[in-house]
Amino acid sequence: MIPLVSNLAPLVCGLLLALTGAAKLFGRQTARLAANTVLVRVLNDGRRATLALRALGGLELALAAALLAAPDALLPGIATALLGAGFTGYLAYAKATAPESSCGCSASDEGPIGARSFTRAGLVVAGGVAAAGADSAWWSEISRRPGGSALVLAAAAVLLLGLTADLDRVWLVPLRKARIRVFGNPLPSGTGERVPVAATVQLLENSLAWQTAMPVVRSALLDHWDDEGWRVLRYAGAYQDERGTHPVSVLFALDLTLSVDTSPHPAVRVSLIDEETEEVVPASVLTPVPRRTVLPLAN
């Protein structure tokens, strides 16, 4: 079993690195995504962060080509393991210094760094070590043991599918819809009952308060807690004044029993706390949203 996995590891690692490397090197959204990573803080420039991300993509493509073309060579496997170890260190640094930043792992995943990111980096390390131990080309292994190879490749595909947020819409969203159809709506039907956090976030994102504060918000939901009937949602943000740009915590407070079904226009409290001075920032930094008119519907 171990030789089978080792001999197929260059194929799995090569395909994974080819996909992520091509997305970083040629992706149209690489510049925008680089701006949300910790690379901007490290390199102190968005353009240099973009170049670094594209260079990493080029390195991943080169490693993918080496793994696929010379699977029984030692060096590509070792280089892949070192790349995975370096990426694990990068994730740990980013998580510790800028937890609101994006991973930038695939140049299309904008979610914050989490268990999926670390698990994926750890698997690159393990895959590189396994690939370094390959003693036969992956195409020879598939030809020699097609049944076992198909099982190993299918297991690897399922594992990577579960660790790639970009593909959630392919399997996770349909799975959630099926769960609702089978088990019903998870939101409580009665009034006065606590609703899930996701329902509160949905209610907030439909509100005028969210649209007004959106130019200041720079992250997804970072933290939440319930206090005296209110649910507080915390986001990272930034505002500018004559002294420059300042990081803030953006706090929204909503009634924890409300959802879009029970209250489409809830009362929302908004507070901005300066991260450096811990003082409340005046609401005047928020941009008033002009009144919107309802678009006519076609008959």
Side-chain angles (χ1 to χ4, degrees), residues 99-194:
E100 75 282 2
S101 65
S102 175
C103 170
C105 308
S106 64
S108 57
D109 181 6
E110 291 189 84
I113 297 170
R116 277 179 163 184
S117 306
F118 283 101
T119 304
R120 194 164 49 222
L123 286 177
V124 173
V125 176
V129 172
D135 57 5
S136 177
W138 54 267
W139 55 82
S140 301
E141 190 66 40
I142 292 175
S143 176
R144 191 164 50 245
R145 290 190 281 184
S149 299
L151 289 176
V152 171
L153 294 176
V158 170
L159 182 60
L160 293 177
L161 186 68
L163 292 174
T164 306
D166 307 344
L167 300 177
D168 281 354
R169 64 183 183 280
V170 175
W171 67 278
L172 187 57
V173 173
L175 182 64
R176 287 171 174 169
K177 290 181 179 179
R179 185 183 61 183
I180 291 175
R181 283 196 295 270
V182 174
F183 298 104
N185 194 326
L187 293 178
S189 57
T191 58
E193 297 182 45
R194 183 175 305 193

Side-chain angles (χ1 to χ4, degrees), residues 34-50:
N36 294 327
T37 68
V38 76
L39 290 173
V40 174
R41 177 179 297 182
V42 173
L43 301 175
N44 199 29
D45 184 85
R47 195 169 64 88
R48 284 198 289 266
T50 303

Side-chain angles (χ1 to χ4, degrees), residues 131-261:
D135 57 5
S136 177
W138 54 267
W139 55 82
S140 301
E141 190 66 40
I142 292 175
S143 176
R144 191 164 50 245
R145 290 190 281 184
S149 299
L151 289 176
V152 171
L153 294 176
V158 170
L159 182 60
L160 293 177
L161 186 68
L163 292 174
T164 306
D166 307 344
L167 300 177
D168 281 354
R169 64 183 183 280
V170 175
W171 67 278
L172 187 57
V173 173
L175 182 64
R176 287 171 174 169
K177 290 181 179 179
R179 185 183 61 183
I180 291 175
R181 283 196 295 270
V182 174
F183 298 104
N185 194 326
L187 293 178
S189 57
T191 58
E193 297 182 45
R194 183 175 305 193
V195 301
V197 174
T200 306
V201 172
Q202 183 188 25
L203 184 63
L204 169 65
E205 293 179 351
N206 284 339
S207 70
L208 188 62
W210 173 259
Q211 296 174 38
T212 304
M214 198 163 52
V216 178
V217 175
R218 295 287 187 275
S219 75
L221 178 64
L222 297 179
D223 195 7
H224 63 84
W225 62 91
D226 298 341
D227 184 24
E228 297 183 352
W230 292 87
R231 173 160 291 154
V232 182
L233 308 174
R234 186 176 76 85
Y235 296 77
Y239 74 99
Q240 291 183 330
D241 60 13
E242 64 280 1
R243 296 173 299 160
T245 303
H246 309 277
V248 292
S249 284
V250 187
L251 305 178
F252 299 95
L254 298 87
D255 189 321
L256 59 80
T257 64
L258 300 183
S259 69
V260 292
D261 296 324

